[in-house]
Amino acid sequence: MNTRTGLNWQRVQALVAAERASYIVRNPQSARLAEQAAQHLLFGVPMHWMNDWSTPFPLTVREASGARFRDADGNAYVDFCLGDTGAMFGHAPQPVAQAIARQSARGYTSMLPSEDAGPVAAELARRFGLPYWQFALSASDANRFVLRWLRAATGRSKVLVFNGCYHGTVDDVFVDLIGGMPMQRDSLLGQVHKLTDHTAVVEFNDLPALEAALRQGDIACVLAEPVMTNVGMVLPQLGYWEAAQQLIRQYGTLLVIDETHTISSGVGGYARAHAMQPDALVVGKPIGGGIPCAVYGFTEELARRVEHAKRSAPAGHSGVGTTLSANMFAMAAMRANLEEVMTESAYQHMFTLAAQLAEGLRDIIARHELPWCVTQIGARTEFQFAASAPRNGTEAQAAMDCELERAIHLYLLNRGLLITPFHNMLLVCPATKVEDVQHMLAAFESCVAQMI
């Protein structure tokens, strides 16, 4: 796939050089802080992936509120990245800020239930339709714990994932299809176990491949995003999930839906909005308004099987849970976020603006005759360098162009607009304004015009 059709690549390279120079001039304090941090931070940043942005050196954030943040040099930005969903409901939403301020004087962690625990679990049950819940510090942990519980409950060892999937840093999911063969991802560091022994991988939207894998009878669960989001957005084809769920049930396998990104679809996530019936469900990043926490829920039947597995096991550490899971601080944040921030009215505002953003991007792309597409799921929008929406992870990967992405991202950043660094995803939050969308569209069109 030629992702650069319609572009003048010499003009793109000249644009990147000019934008890098502009960034350096605009951000002397960030440059100084980056140089200082490199003396003691591995890779010069708190986490190595913070170097994955398109900038010559890391941008240092001073403060963030709502849909905006300000950097160390005082430059203001409209944030369409929002922590790659971690701040999907805005930075420091007021009800959450007030709740954690109150909780800060009442204790952080105790290894005992807080008064918020019951109400949070009840609200999760109401929203997502699953009656029993547990907590973790991240979706990565929640997915790990769910895989342990389901392997124990089913007596099966294997998990099935989709090629190009996203489920945090769970080792089991780093298996890709290369030339139709499952291969452990080359980029995975320090992995000494052969992941393909216990992980099956098939293409999203491929029902025959899914059935062939399930027919072996050794798959404990299918772990899936209902819409793929991390390799570029890939939508389920019409009728796919109805047929896939039937196959999963037919072969005695369980379905785990990871809504960490697709919670952008509505108050109950994509699965509830589309009448899916998962056996287990995970939500991470955004559920506590940006405070580290995650949740996972089970059906009544699965909860009984999980409880039986635990009670039948020898005494000792189960390998599930950490001492900070469900700490009082996180529970207070989750309760406030669920009750006062993640509301129907907030979602309706986000849906309206995301639709305006998606339509505006389509119009710009069409006017400049570029073979790109735009996908929107609720508050989440993405443009991809392909004429039509990818049908699976392989097609989505082929539509990615790191150099082109970085050129666009840097151009937008220098005009006070941040989008997700790993691909072309944009989020809106309850604090995003119509003029913010208009600002983004004007800057995007200006960028495109200078690249053709």
Side-chain angles (χ1 to χ4, degrees):
M1 180 183 296
N2 186 354
T3 59
R4 299 173 183 179
T5 299
L7 301 178
N8 182 324
W9 197 246
Q10 285 185 324
R11 295 191 68 181
V12 174
Q13 291 174 311
L15 182 66
V16 170
E19 294 302 320
R20 288 178 65 85
S22 175
Y23 178 87
I24 292 168
V25 171
R26 283 167 47 87
N27 296 286
Q29 181 70 351
S30 279
R32 187 188 68 80
L33 291 171
E35 183 178 1
Q36 183 182 71
Q39 297 176 32
H40 299 290
L41 287 174
L42 190 63
F43 302 106
V45 285
M47 285 296 295
H48 70 85
W49 45 257
M50 290 182 178
N51 278 324
D52 289 347
W53 298 85
S54 55
T55 56
F57 47 81
L59 185 71
T60 297
V61 175
R62 176 175 292 164
E63 58 187 3
S65 178
R68 289 161 171 73
F69 70 93
R70 192 173 295 274
D71 68 22
D73 288 279
N75 299 311
Y77 301 82
V78 180
D79 192 355
F80 286 89
C81 173
L82 296 168
D84 192 21
T85 314
M88 195 186 86
F89 301 103
H91 297 287
Q94 189 174 24
V96 176
Q98 292 171 342
I100 62 178
R102 289 192 300 268
Q103 190 61 47
S104 68
R106 301 175 60 192
Y108 300 165
T109 186
S110 65
M111 287 181 62
L112 292 168
S114 71
E115 292 177 322
D116 294 317
V120 167
E123 176 60 13
L124 293 170
R126 183 190 72 81
R127 282 177 182 252
F128 297 106
L130 296 174
Y132 291 99
W133 292 84
Q134 291 280 272
F135 301 88
L137 287 175
S138 70
S140 293
D141 275 352
N143 281 316
R144 288 187 188 99
F145 300 160
V146 167
L147 293 185
R148 280 188 177 272
W149 284 126
L150 270 57
R151 282 167 165 156
T154 63
R156 297 178 175 184
S157 69
K158 287 190 175 181
V159 57
L160 185 145
V161 297
F162 293 103
N163 186 36
C165 67
Y166 169 77
H167 301 292
T169 59
V170 179
D171 286 356
D172 307 69
V173 308
F174 288 102
V175 178
D176 297 323
L177 280 179
I178 307 296
M181 296 296 295
M183 301 286 288
Q184 189 164 303
R185 195 170 300 176
D186 289 340
S187 61
L188 187 59
L189 294 172
Q191 178 55 253
V192 297
H193 302 292
K194 187 180 178 184
L195 298 180
T196 51
D197 285 346
H198 297 285
T199 299
V201 58
V202 300
E203 292 284 13
F204 196 56
N205 283 319
D206 187 340
L207 287 169
L210 176 63
E211 181 169 20
L214 294 173
R215 194 183 295 122
Q216 305 303 311
D218 55 357
I219 306 292
C221 66
V222 172
L223 173 59
E225 291 183 287
V227 173
M228 294 186 70
T229 64
N230 210 53
V231 71
M233 287 171 67
V234 180
L235 299 176
Q237 293 182 327
L238 184 64
Y240 173 74
W241 272 120
E242 290 84 352
Q245 288 179 102
Q246 184 176 348
L247 288 173
I248 291 166
R249 288 191 294 270
Q250 177 182 336
Y251 290 102
T253 300
L254 299 168
L255 174 61
V256 183
I257 289 296
D258 184 345
E259 295 264 21
T260 298
H261 285 165
T262 54
I263 191 66
S264 63
S265 301
V267 293
Y270 185 97
R272 199 75 191 272
H274 293 267
M276 295 180 67
Q277 296 182 314
D279 299 285
L281 185 140
V282 170
V283 186
K285 301 177 188 178
I287 199 72
I291 294 296
C293 55
V295 301
Y296 58 99
F298 296 145
T299 61
E300 174 86 31
E301 180 186 2
L302 181 55
R304 298 287 85 86
R305 294 173 70 180
V306 164
E307 288 178 337
H308 176 75
K310 170 60 178 166
R311 289 169 179 155
S312 301
H317 201 298
S318 64
V320 175
T322 61
T323 55
L324 289 177
S325 298
N327 65 79
M328 293 186 291
F329 206 68
M331 299 302 288
M334 274 189 280
R335 184 172 184 179
N337 201 50
L338 286 164
E339 292 179 352
E340 302 181 63
V341 181
M342 293 176 63
T343 63
E344 288 280 5
S345 61
Y347 270 100
Q348 289 309 310
H349 172 79
M350 293 190 290
F351 292 168
T352 298
L353 289 189
Q356 293 175 12
L357 178 61
E359 193 57 36
L361 290 170
R362 290 189 187 102
D363 287 346
I364 293 166
I365 290 166
R367 280 201 304 274
H368 292 278
E369 299 181 342
L370 291 170
W372 301 353
C373 63
V374 177
T375 304
Q376 179 206 346
I377 290 294
R380 188 181 186 94
T381 304
E382 183 157 12
F383 61 92
Q384 291 162 286
F385 307 132
S388 58
R391 295 168 297 178
N392 55 47
T394 295
E395 291 185 8
Q397 183 68 44
M400 299 181 82
D401 185 327
C402 182
E403 285 187 81
L404 181 53
E405 288 173 8
R406 291 168 73 88
I408 296 171
H409 298 180
L410 183 57
Y411 184 95
L412 296 174
L413 186 67
N414 280 339
R415 284 146 189 83
L417 298 157
L418 186 76
I419 73 173
T420 305
F422 314 116
H423 39 112
N424 300 314
M425 192 276 293
L426 303 92
L427 279 168
V428 296
C429 73
T432 306
K433 302 175 181 178
V434 172
E435 50 265 39
D436 298 332
V437 171
Q438 294 170 341
H439 181 192
M440 171 59 74
L441 293 174
F444 180 77
E445 179 151 35
S446 176
C447 180
V448 168
Q450 295 185 57
M451 294 193 301
I452 58 179

